[in-house]
């Protein structure tokens, strides 16, 4: 039996079901901002704990059953789901929708795959309900103190949700909320997915810079932390650079060693990076930095392969002297900045391609604007991305914007030196290298894809187009090799 009485009907402004850390923190954030919040959890003990520990944060209306939870919501009802993605979310959606009425709103604020969100939205639309997939970034602290929120769904649902979400979201320096309506059905979760993919690339390339300072310069973790702290005062200023400095300065209480040195070098992942890469492949968008970062995590966890490699594979590497360590660190800073810019540019390319494919009217500049605070990839240069799309909303390549093309040009010599040094020395730098290769590919006058297409025509009659004539052609390779124009 719950330790609280059933909540009255039609009293709460909004409800949250799922009282794990993210759900309870989001509910507390809403309550702190003056909203009456209904709360519910499948196991009532978690609901009781929220009331016991944080009941003073605001007006909470706890319920033991889902039916009481729904009844406590003011109409049109708004219920936020904060449970595990996949089957658990489907189960809660089914239960909630059976209790709701036309015009009510169900919000999935977890990391759901956007195709699942589109499926759920279409099904609930037929029942007269609104389904909103809302990306929420910022982790536990963001959920409590102000996240970046990326809600999809109908504009009508945002009319009801927007004032609440904008009030609880993070606020940028200019006072604007880090929340906006992203687009129809799965657009919000799509953008959050790509956001997480960019996050993968960002984290990996930061780690590659750390690895180079550690191995090539022999620097201790705390000294590398000092470098990152200094970098955080300039163009690289961002949440991830800031916390990297803090992590590298931290000492393990048990061993007395630098904290980073006692962590097993196997990075886990929950799937959003893989989703980003898989979706990019489907859309034909090269997100090489994100892909290599995702594969780097997979490589780190490939224990039998790594053990075999350590036993049998030689580096055949050069021992290169670094005559000027300060210059080497400066090169790393510039290369890191350039690689980050490419990864963000690739991410925005994927968002643009997704919007075109699924008919979403996504404002790319607005996406950069709502990532400026609250979220994991918040960074100083996001203001510049917003400005770039303000100058040209249909910008085909973020790097081609005058500001970014100028910024990245300053980094190229250092970027090349870092990648060349790593290759010669045998240091793995998948994001540094892949983003540089992408940069060279998009600026190239001509690519070797011409030979690839010729090979495809040879073995599969896949045809080709010519640089000097319109039309589609094929060579009769197995006969007299005459060229024929195809219909």
């Amino acid at each position: 039996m719950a330790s609280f009485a059933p909540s009255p009907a039609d009293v709460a402004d909004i409800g949250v079901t799922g009282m794990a850390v993210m759900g309870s923190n989001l509910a507390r954030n809403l309550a702190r901002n003056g909203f009456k919040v209904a709360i519910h959890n499948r196991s009532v003990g978690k609901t009781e704990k929220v009331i016991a520990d944080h009941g003073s944060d605001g007006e909470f209306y706890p319920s033991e059953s889902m039916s009481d939870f729904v009844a406590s919501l003011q109409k049109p009802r708004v219920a936020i789901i904060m449970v595990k993605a996949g089957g658990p979310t489907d189960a809660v959606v089914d239960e909630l929708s059976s209790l709701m009425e036309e015009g009510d709103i169900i919000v999935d604020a977890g990391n759901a795959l956007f195709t699942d969100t589109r499926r759920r939205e279409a099904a609930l639309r037929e029942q007269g309900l609104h389904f909103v997939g809302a990306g929420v970034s910022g982790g536990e602290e963001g959920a409590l103190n102000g996240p970046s929120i990326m809600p999809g769904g109908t504009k009508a649902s945002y009319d009801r949700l927007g004032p609440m979400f904008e009030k609880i979201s993070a606020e940028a320096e200019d006072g604007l909320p880090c929340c906006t309506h992203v687009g129809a059905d799965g657009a919000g979760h799509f953008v959050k997915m790509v956001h997480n993919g960019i996050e993968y690339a960002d984290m990996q390339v930061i780690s590659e810079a750390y690895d180079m300072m550690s191995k090539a310069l022999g620097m201790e973790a705390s000294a590398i932390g000092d470098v990152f702290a200094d970098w955080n005062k300039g163009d690289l200023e961002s949440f991830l650079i800031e916390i990297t400095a803090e992590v590298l300065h931290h000492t393990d209480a048990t061993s007395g060693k630098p904290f980073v040195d006692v962590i097993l070098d196997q990075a886990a992942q929950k799937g959003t990076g893989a989703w980003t890469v898989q979706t990019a492949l489907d859309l034909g968008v090269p997100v090489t930095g994100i892909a290599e970062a995702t594969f780097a995590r997979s490589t780190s966890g490939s224990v039998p392969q790594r053990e075999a490699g350590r036993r049998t594979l030689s580096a055949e590497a050069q021992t290169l002297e670094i005559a000027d360590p300060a210059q080497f660190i400066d090169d790393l800073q510039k290369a890191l900045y350039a690689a980050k810019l490419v990864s963000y540019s690739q991410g925005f390319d994927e968002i643009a391609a997704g919007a075109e494919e699924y008919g979403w009217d996504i404002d790319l500049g607005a996406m950069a604007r709502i990532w400026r605070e609250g979220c994991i990839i918040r960074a100083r240069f996001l203001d510049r991305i917003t400005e770039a799309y303000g100058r040209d909303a249909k910008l085909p390549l973020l790097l081609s914007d005058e500001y970014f093309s100028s910024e990245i040009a300053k980094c190229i010599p250092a970027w090349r030196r870092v990648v060349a040094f790593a290759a010669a020395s045998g240091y793995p730098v998948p994001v540094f290298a892949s983003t540089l290769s992408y940069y060279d590919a998009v600026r190239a006058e001509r690519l070797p894809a011409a030979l690839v297409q010729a090979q495809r025509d040879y073995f599969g009659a896949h045809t080709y187009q010519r640089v000097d004539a319109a039309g589609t052609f094929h060579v009769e390779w197995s006969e007299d090799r005459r060229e024929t124009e195809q219909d």
Side-chain angles (χ1 to χ4, degrees):
M1 190 72 178
S3 61
F4 47 79
S7 295
D10 303 317
V11 65
D13 299 308
I14 191 168
V16 181
T17 179
M19 288 292 105
V21 176
M22 283 292 290
S24 62
N25 279 5
L26 192 63
R28 292 173 60 196
N29 187 352
L30 286 158
R32 287 176 174 185
N33 279 280
F35 299 108
K36 300 174 183 177
V37 186
I39 59 173
H40 167 266
N41 195 77
R42 184 173 57 86
S43 55
V44 72
K46 288 188 176 181
T47 307
E48 291 173 329
K49 184 171 176 56
V50 173
I51 296 299
D53 294 348
H54 308 293
S56 61
D57 281 356
E59 286 192 58
F60 292 107
Y61 294 90
S63 292
E64 183 174 2
S65 70
M66 187 68 85
S67 58
D68 286 344
F69 170 72
V70 171
S72 70
L73 299 171
Q74 295 180 29
K75 298 178 183 179
R77 305 178 181 94
V78 178
I80 299 175
I81 299 171
M82 289 295 280
V83 300
K84 188 176 180 180
T89 296
D90 278 324
V92 175
V93 169
D94 289 345
E95 186 176 9
L96 269 175
S97 62
S98 69
L99 297 167
M100 286 186 153
E101 300 174 358
E102 184 173 348
D104 289 347
I105 303 167
I106 298 175
V107 182
D108 177 10
N111 275 334
L113 181 60
F114 77 97
T115 51
D116 286 341
T117 302
R118 297 189 78 219
R119 167 178 58 80
R120 292 167 183 145
E121 193 277 337
L124 293 190
R125 192 185 333 128
E126 291 186 358
Q127 300 178 41
L129 301 176
H130 297 277
F131 185 77
V132 173
V136 178
S137 178
E140 297 172 10
E141 182 180 345
L144 180 60
N145 298 315
S148 172
I149 309 178
M150 296 151 259
T154 62
K155 290 184 178 179
S157 65
Y158 193 77
D159 289 342
R160 174 83 165 89
L161 283 170
M164 290 186 283
F165 277 2
E166 290 179 15
K167 190 168 183 180
I168 69 166
S169 68
E171 185 177 287
E173 288 186 0
D174 56 12
L176 292 176
C178 291
C179 174
T180 192
H181 182 237
V182 176
D185 54 72
H189 275 151
F190 184 94
V191 167
K192 177 56 163 55
M193 175 191 74
V194 176
H195 164 286
N196 283 24
I198 294 170
E199 182 182 306
Y200 272 52
D202 211 342
M203 294 171 70
Q204 174 63 27
V205 78
I206 287 171
S207 299
E208 291 172 17
Y210 149 78
D211 198 43
M212 294 278 277
M213 282 185 270
S214 175
K215 292 176 179 174
L217 293 176
M219 295 173 63
E220 295 292 333
S222 61
I224 302 173
D226 291 341
V227 172
F228 278 102
D230 184 61
W231 287 354
N232 198 48
K233 300 172 185 175
D235 290 330
L236 287 172
E237 180 187 348
S238 64
F239 173 73
L240 284 171
I241 295 290
E242 177 187 343
I243 68 167
T244 298
E246 291 192 22
V247 167
L248 291 171
H249 284 138
H250 184 58
T251 300
D252 176 53
T254 302
S255 66
K257 296 178 180 179
F259 178 65
V260 70
D261 291 345
V262 302
I263 299 175
L264 190 65
D265 61 340
Q266 296 174 21
Q269 52 186 315
K270 290 188 174 180
T272 47
W275 293 346
T276 305
V277 177
Q278 291 161 355
T279 303
L281 288 170
D282 291 339
L283 294 171
V285 180
V287 292
T288 58
I290 297 169
E292 289 295 344
T294 305
F295 290 135
R297 294 197 190 187
S298 299
T299 300
S300 76
S302 299
V303 177
Q305 291 80 9
R306 291 181 64 194
E307 289 178 349
R310 281 194 292 266
R311 287 195 308 268
T312 60
L313 303 180
S314 62
E316 299 296 332
Q318 302 177 39
T319 303
L320 301 177
E321 180 182 355
I322 299 174
D324 188 345
Q327 180 60 53
F328 185 79
I329 290 173
D330 185 67
D331 281 355
L332 280 173
Q333 179 184 22
K334 289 183 172 65
L336 179 56
Y337 185 42
K340 283 162 69 79
L341 291 180
V342 169
S343 297
Y344 278 72
S345 179
Q346 291 178 342
F348 276 93
D349 281 350
E350 183 167 356
I351 294 173
E356 182 175 358
E357 174 71 16
Y358 297 107
W360 298 324
D361 183 18
I362 299 179
D363 183 336
L364 297 179
M367 298 307 98
R369 176 178 60 76
I370 67 172
W371 291 348
R372 292 180 300 165
E373 290 293 341
C375 78
I376 303 300
I377 63 170
R378 57 186 183 265
R380 174 186 289 190
F381 58 72
L382 284 165
D383 275 323
R384 296 292 192 174
I385 296 178
T386 297
E387 292 169 4
Y389 286 114
R391 287 187 286 272
D392 181 0
K394 300 296 183 182
L395 188 65
L397 175 72
L398 179 61
L399 298 177
S400 67
D401 174 76
E402 182 179 356
Y403 173 80
F404 287 109
S405 62
S406 174
E407 284 292 286
I408 208 164
K410 302 172 189 175
C411 303
I412 294 169
W415 198 5
R416 295 195 189 284
R417 286 194 293 268
V418 165
V419 172
F421 180 91
S425 303
Y427 301 138
V429 287
V431 176
F432 273 135
S434 65
T435 51
L436 177 59
S437 183
Y438 170 84
Y439 174 85
D440 283 333
V442 293
R443 65 163 194 86
E445 188 69 30
R446 186 168 170 79
L447 292 169
L451 179 56
V452 172
Q453 196 61 20
Q455 293 168 332
R456 294 181 74 244
D457 187 62
Y458 189 104
F459 67 70
H462 292 296
T463 73
Y464 57 90
Q465 294 174 316
R466 298 180 59 93
V467 298
D468 55 1
T472 300
F473 302 88
H474 167 61
V475 170
E476 301 294 342
W477 295 101
S478 60
E479 298 178 10
D480 57 2
R481 300 199 173 184
R482 71 186 185 281
E483 181 180 72
T484 58
E485 187 169 4
Q486 307 297 296
D487 293 333

